C-alpha cells in the first residue's frame, strides 16, 4: 500500500512539472518524494475520526421538511402537528408541535395498560411555540395521549390525542418480568443495550416503550445534561462485513447531532472501539481502542474533542505496564481493558479483565495511585508499579468486568467503596458475583464488604463481558447475564437491593440471533432528561 501510494503521488508530481528544466525537476521531485515518504511513515501509526457531514445534512433536510409543513398551517393544542418517527429510526417516539396565544406550560400523559405503566412529562418553561418530544408509546397500536395546557394564571385546557405507531419486527427482543418485588419504574424506563443490536427500553410490565433502530455495538453513554446518547453504530464494506466504527450523538427522538467514523492503524477487526466510551468532565470523550503500533488489542485509550473529532491524548498501556504481561501471553488480547470511569477531574479507575487488575490512575499523567491485583503473580521487573498494590486478606477479583463507584458508605472521606462485576474463576469454580470492596487509602488496605454471589447463584455464569449499573435513587444494582442452553440463548437481568442483599426483580430477555446479541448493559433512566431541549422548529423567516 505504501509503495502504491508513493507511486501514484510521483506520477502526479511528474505530470505537474513539465515546465521545469530536468535538473530542477529532479531536485524538486526528490525533495517532494522525501516529504511524502515522511508523511506516509508518520501516518502508518494513526488514530483518526472523520466527520460524517452527509449524515448531519440529511438530518437538516428532515428538519427543513418539518418546518415547511408546520408553517403551511396554524397548529393548536387541539389540532397539533404530530410527526411519529421523524428521523426514521425511533418508531415509538414523536414530535408534537403547535402554538398558543399566550405563554403556556405543557404536560402530556401517555396512557398505559395499567396505572403504573403510564408516563407523563412536563415542559420546563412557559412558551408560545411548543416542540414536545413524545416518548413512551406502545408499538403497533393507537396510543391515547392526554395534553394539558396551563397558562401562567393556572388555567388549564385539555385535549385527548390519538397517536398511532407501527409494529416492530416480530422477531425482536421480548422481555418477561418474572419477579418484581420492588420494581417501580413508572417515572422512567429500563434501557437495554445488547452487545450488537438496537437500543431499547421497557416499562415495569416488560412492554417495549422505546426503540432506536440504529444497529450498534455494546457502547452506550448517556449525558444527563442533554439527555442524548452516544452509540457506536455499524458501517458495512462491499463484502457486507460489519464494522462498528461510527460514533453518533443521538437524542431519544432519533435526531443525530454528531457523527464520526473512527479509523486506526494496526487493527482490521470489527470493533475498533470496544467495551466503553465515557464523557469526561471537560466535555471530551474517552474511548477504549487498540494500540496503533502493533497487533495487540484492547490495550489503549484515546481522548477526543467531541466538537471536532480531534484526538487530544493517547494512552498505550503496552508502553506503561510490565513487558512480561504481553511477552508471556499467547493471546493478542493480553490486557483486556473493558471499563473506565472518571471519579475526579484528574482521576480514572480502569479494569483489565485478562490481567485481573483494577487500578486508579492520575489522568492525563497516567500515574498509578493504587492497584488491586494478585501480588504473588506480579512481575518483579515492573519499575516500581508493584509497590502500588493494595494489601488484602479477602478474595480479589479474578476477572473484573465492570466497576461502579458508590457514594460514601462509612462517613469516612479516607475510604472509597466500589462495586465490581467479577467473572469469578478459582479452583475449578466459575460463576459471576458482584462484590462491594472498601479501599482504605491511608492504610493501603482492601476489604470485601459484601458479596452478592449467594443471591446471584452459581449457575448465572455470563458468557460475555457485561456492564453492571448502580441506580443511586433506589440503591439497587442491575446485573445482566447471558444464559445458554441447547434450545436457545437468552439474557437474564437481576436487580439487587444492596441493603437487604436480595433480589428485587428478575427479567428474562429473549430474541438473540445472528443479528442481535445478548444484553450487555442495563440502565435505569428517566423518560426524558429535565434539561433535554428539542431544536427542530426555526423562526418562520429563517
Amino acid at each position: 500500500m505504501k509503495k502504491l501510494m508513493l507511486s501514484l503521488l510521483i506520477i502526479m508530481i511528474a505530470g505537474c512539472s513539465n515546465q521545469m528544466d530536468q535538473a530542477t525537476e529532479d531536485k524538486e521531485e526528490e525533495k517532494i518524494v522525501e516529504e511524502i515518504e515522511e508523511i506516509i511513515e508518520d501516518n502508518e501509526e494513526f488514530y483518526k475520526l472523520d466527520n460524517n457531514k452527509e449524515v448531519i445534512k440529511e438530518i437538516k433536510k428532515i428538519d427543513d421538511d418539518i418546518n415547511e409543513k408546520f408553517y403551511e398551517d396554524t397548529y393548536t393544542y387541539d389540532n397539533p402537528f404530530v410527526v411519529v418517527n421523524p428521523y426514521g429510526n425511533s418508531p415509538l417516539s414523536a414530535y408534537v408541535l403547535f402554538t398558543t396565544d399566550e405563554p403556556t406550560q405543557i404536560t402530556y400523559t401517555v396512557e398505559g395498560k395499567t396505572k403504573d405503566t403510564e408516563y407523563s412529562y412536563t415542559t420546563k418553561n412557559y412558551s408560545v411555540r411548543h416542540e414536545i418530544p413524545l416518548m413512551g408509546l406502545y408499538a403497533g397500536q393507537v396510543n391515547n395521549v392526554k395534553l394539558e395546557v396551563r397558562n401562567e394564571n393556572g388555567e388549564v385546557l385539555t385535549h385527548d390525542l390519538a397517536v398511532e405507531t407501527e409494529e416492530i419486527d416480530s422477531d425482536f427482543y421480548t422481555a418477561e418480568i418474572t419477579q418484581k418485588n420492588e420494581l417501580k419504574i413508572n417515572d422512567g424506563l429500563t434501557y437495554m443495550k445488547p452487545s450488537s443490536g438496537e437500543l431499547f427500553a421497557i416499562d415495569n410490565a416488560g412492554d417495549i416503550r422505546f426503540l432506536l433502530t440504529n444497529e450498534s455495538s455494546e457502547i452506550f453513554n448517556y449525558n444527563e445534561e442533554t439527555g442524548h446518547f452516544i452509540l457506536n453504530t455499524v458501517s458495512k464494506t462491499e463484502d457486507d462485513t460489519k464494522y462498528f466504527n461510527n460514533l453518533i450523538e443521538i437524542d431519544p427522538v432519533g435526531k443525530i447531532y454528531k457523527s464520526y467514523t473512527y479509523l486506526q492503524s494496526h487493527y482490521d477487526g470489527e470493533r475498533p472501539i470496544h467495551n466503553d466510551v465515557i464523557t469526561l468532565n471537560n466535555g471530551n470523550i474517552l474511548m477504549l481502542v487498540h494500540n496503533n503500533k502493533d497487533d495487540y488489542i484492547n490495550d489503549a485509550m484515546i481522548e477526543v474533542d467531541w466538537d471536532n473529532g480531534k484526538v487530544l491524548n493517547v494512552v498505550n498501556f503496552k508502553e506503561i505496564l510490565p513487558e512480561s504481561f504481553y511477552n508471556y501471553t499467547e493471546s493478542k488480547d493480553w490486557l483486556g481493558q473493558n471499563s473506565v470511569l472518571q471519579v475526579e477531574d484528574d482521576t480514572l479507575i480502569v479494569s483489565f479483565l485478562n490481567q485481573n487488575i483494577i487500578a486508579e490512575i492520575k489522568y492525563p499523567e497516567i500515574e498509578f495511585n493504587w492497584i488491586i491485583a494478585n501480588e504473588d503473580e506480579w512481575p518483579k521487573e515492573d519499575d516500581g508499579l508493584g509497590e502500588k498494590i493494595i494489601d488484602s486478606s479477602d478474595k480479589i477479583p479474578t476477572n473484573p468486568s465492570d466497576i461502579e463507584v458508590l457514594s460514601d458508605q462509612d462517613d469516612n472521606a479516607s475510604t472509597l467503596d466500589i462495586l465490581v462485576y467479577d467473572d469469578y474463576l478459582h479452583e475449578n469454580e466459575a460463576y459471576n458475583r458482584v462484590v462491594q470492596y472498601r479501599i482504605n487509602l491511608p492504610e493501603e488496605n482492601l476489604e470485601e464488604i459484601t458479596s452478592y454471589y449467594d443471591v446471584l447463584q452459581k449457575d448465572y455464569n455470563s458468557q460475555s463481558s457485561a456492564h453492571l449499573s448502580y441506580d443511586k435513587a433506589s440503591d439497587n444494582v442491575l446485573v445482566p447475564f447471558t444464559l445458554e442452553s441447547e434450545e436457545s440463548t437468552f439474557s437474564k437481568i437481576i436487580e439487587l437491593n444492596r441493603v437487604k442483599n436480595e433480589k428485587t426483580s428478575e427479567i428474562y430477555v429473549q430474541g438473540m440471533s445472528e443479528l442481535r446479541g445478548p444484553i450487555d448493559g442495563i440502565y435505569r433512566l428517566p423518560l426524558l432528561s429535565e434539561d433535554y431541549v428539542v431544536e427542530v422548529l426555526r423562526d418562520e423567516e429563517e
Side-chain angles (χ1 to χ4, degrees):
M1 177 62 73
K2 176 180 174 181
K3 291 181 179 179
L4 176 60
M5 291 174 62
L6 191 57
S7 300
L8 290 172
L9 287 166
I10 291 172
I11 291 171
M12 292 171 62
I13 293 165
C16 297
S17 59
N18 52 12
Q19 295 181 352
M20 300 179 183
D21 60 60
Q22 189 63 44
T24 304
E25 181 181 335
D26 290 343
K27 289 181 180 179
E28 287 296 322
E29 184 175 313
E30 183 178 344
K31 180 181 178 182
I32 294 172
V33 168
E34 289 176 356
E35 292 176 353
I36 292 171
E37 283 184 327
E38 184 176 346
I39 292 171
I40 294 173
E41 192 70 35
D42 289 341
N43 280 286
E44 283 185 344
E45 298 173 357
F46 66 89
Y47 294 110
K48 184 179 181 183
L49 281 87
D50 288 333
N51 193 345
N52 294 322
K53 295 180 181 179
E54 291 302 316
V55 173
I56 307 304
K57 285 182 181 179
E58 288 300 315
I59 295 294
K60 185 179 182 303
K61 287 181 182 179
I62 294 171
D63 284 352
D64 289 345
D65 184 60
I66 291 173
N67 276 267
E68 182 179 349
K69 292 178 180 178
F70 177 77
Y71 286 113
E72 284 177 352
D73 204 342
T74 299
Y75 292 98
T76 59
Y77 80 95
D78 56 353
N79 180 36
F81 182 40
V82 180
V83 188
V84 178
N85 194 13
Y87 303 100
N89 56 356
S90 188
L92 307 184
S93 304
Y95 283 142
V96 179
L97 311 173
F98 58 92
T99 60
T100 50
D101 294 333
E102 59 180 328
T104 54
Q105 186 180 47
I106 311 301
T107 295
Y108 70 73
T109 300
V110 180
E111 182 180 296
K113 294 179 179 179
T114 60
K115 187 66 177 176
D116 63 353
T117 56
E118 69 177 24
Y119 287 99
S120 295
Y121 171 77
T122 300
T123 58
K124 194 172 183 180
N125 301 313
Y126 288 80
S127 177
V128 295
R129 189 174 70 184
H130 303 281
E131 306 170 68
I132 311 300
L134 183 57
M135 293 275 293
L137 301 173
Y138 288 99
Q141 71 175 58
V142 176
N143 291 262
N144 298 319
V145 181
K146 182 178 181 180
L147 284 179
E148 292 185 358
V149 181
R150 182 184 301 273
N151 68 14
E152 292 174 311
N153 296 323
E155 298 170 324
V156 178
L157 296 171
T158 64
H159 175 66
D160 291 329
L161 187 65
V163 181
E164 187 172 4
T165 58
E166 295 182 357
E167 294 279 1
I168 59 178
D169 292 347
S170 59
D171 61 349
F172 195 71
Y173 296 98
T174 58
E176 179 187 3
I177 300 175
T178 58
Q179 177 182 338
K180 50 180 178 179
N181 298 353
E182 298 179 11
L183 187 60
K184 298 176 181 178
I185 56 173
N186 57 311
D187 59 341
L189 293 167
T190 298
Y191 284 75
M192 301 193 181
K193 186 67 208 70
S195 59
S196 58
E198 302 93 329
L199 174 68
F200 67 100
I202 64 169
D203 62 18
N204 63 358
D207 288 311
I208 295 174
R209 306 290 291 275
F210 171 79
L211 171 63
L212 280 178
T213 59
N214 308 74
E215 186 180 359
S216 57
S217 72
E218 74 279 6
I219 299 300
F220 177 84
N221 178 252
Y222 174 69
N223 189 315
E224 293 182 7
E225 294 183 3
T226 63
H228 297 176
F229 312 115
I230 291 179
L231 301 175
N232 181 27
T233 59
V234 70
S235 63
K236 295 183 180 180
T237 63
E238 293 181 359
D239 60 354
D240 288 335
T241 301
K242 295 181 180 180
Y243 293 96
F244 291 93
N245 66 333
N246 285 336
L247 276 181
I248 61 171
E249 178 181 338
I250 188 170
D251 73 14
V253 186
K255 183 171 183 175
I256 297 175
Y257 296 80
K258 292 183 176 67
S259 177
Y260 297 104
T261 296
Y262 172 73
L263 301 167
Q264 74 158 86
S265 57
H266 292 284
Y267 182 80
D268 58 1
E270 297 179 1
R271 304 194 183 216
I273 308 165
H274 66 91
N275 284 292
D276 219 351
V277 169
I278 64 171
T279 301
L280 297 172
N281 294 345
N282 61 13
N284 294 335
I285 300 299
L286 191 65
M287 303 162 39
L288 300 192
V289 293
H290 314 275
N291 89 72
N292 65 346
K293 299 181 181 300
D294 52 43
D295 295 332
Y296 288 99
I297 62 173
N298 298 335
D299 55 1
M301 306 187 300
I302 59 173
E303 181 178 348
V304 174
D305 186 326
W306 193 235
D307 289 332
N308 55 32
K310 183 179 179 181
V311 177
L312 303 176
N313 190 33
V314 176
V315 179
N316 183 354
F317 285 105
K318 190 166 174 284
E319 298 176 345
I320 298 169
L321 293 169
E323 291 184 11
S324 58
F325 277 154
Y326 55 86
N327 282 340
Y328 298 104
T329 302
E330 293 183 5
S331 171
K332 291 298 182 182
D333 187 10
W334 66 279
L335 188 62
Q337 184 180 10
N338 54 4
S339 71
V340 58
L341 59 98
Q342 186 175 32
V343 290
E344 300 288 348
D345 285 346
D346 62 348
T347 307
L348 304 175
I349 293 180
V350 294
S351 65
F352 305 133
L353 179 72
N354 294 340
Q355 295 296 340
N356 308 329
I357 295 172
I358 299 171
E360 183 182 87
I361 59 177
K362 189 174 181 182
Y363 182 83
E365 296 86 349
I366 312 302
E367 297 174 359
F368 284 74
N369 295 332
W370 50 258
I371 297 172
I372 298 174
N374 189 329
E375 191 169 11
D376 294 336
E377 297 177 0
W378 194 268
K380 303 303 180 185
E381 62 289 345
D382 69 344
D383 297 328
L385 277 182
E387 298 175 1
K388 300 292 185 178
I389 296 177
I390 299 175
D391 292 331
S392 176
S393 57
D394 294 316
K395 294 179 181 178
I396 64 170
T398 59
N399 292 99
S401 293
D402 199 21
I403 304 163
E404 288 274 7
V405 173
L406 299 175
S407 55
D408 186 10
Q409 301 290 301
D410 60 351
D411 296 321
N412 185 349
S414 298
T415 61
L416 176 70
D417 283 70
I418 61 174
L419 285 176
V420 179
Y421 190 11
D422 186 20
D423 298 332
Y424 190 72
L425 179 64
H426 180 67
E427 295 180 354
N428 297 321
E429 285 189 296
Y431 53 86
N432 292 106
R433 62 178 191 151
V434 175
V435 190
Q436 178 183 341
Y437 288 106
R438 179 165 297 152
I439 303 165
N440 189 310
L441 302 176
E443 298 181 8
E444 297 182 349
N445 178 262
L446 178 71
E447 178 186 2
E448 182 179 308
I449 303 300
T450 307
S451 173
Y452 301 97
Y453 153 66
D454 291 334
V455 177
L456 299 181
Q457 302 177 15
K458 283 188 178 182
D459 60 345
Y460 293 172
N461 186 26
S462 178
Q463 303 298 315
S464 63
S465 176
H467 292 78
L468 60 82
S469 179
Y470 173 55
D471 181 33
K472 294 180 181 178
S474 63
D475 202 23
N476 289 353
V477 186
L478 297 162
V479 190
F481 302 89
T482 301
L483 305 178
E484 294 184 348
S485 67
E486 294 181 358
E487 293 79 21
S488 64
T489 299
F490 58 93
S491 290
K492 190 171 188 177
I493 293 93
I494 305 295
E495 183 169 4
L496 303 173
N497 183 278
R498 293 195 318 103
V499 176
K500 298 179 181 179
N501 197 358
E502 66 180 19
K503 286 187 294 184
T504 63
S505 69
E506 192 170 84
I507 306 171
Y508 281 90
V509 180
Q510 294 181 305
M512 285 89 224
S513 65
E514 291 183 2
L515 299 178
R516 296 187 173 106
I519 304 303
D520 182 90
I522 310 293
Y523 310 91
R524 186 68 50 74
L525 299 175
L527 186 70
L528 286 165
S529 167
E530 292 182 359
D531 297 318
Y532 169 55
V533 177
V534 175
E535 298 176 343
V536 60
L537 293 180
R538 300 185 287 272
D539 292 338
E540 190 169 4
E541 64 271 16
E542 289 184 13

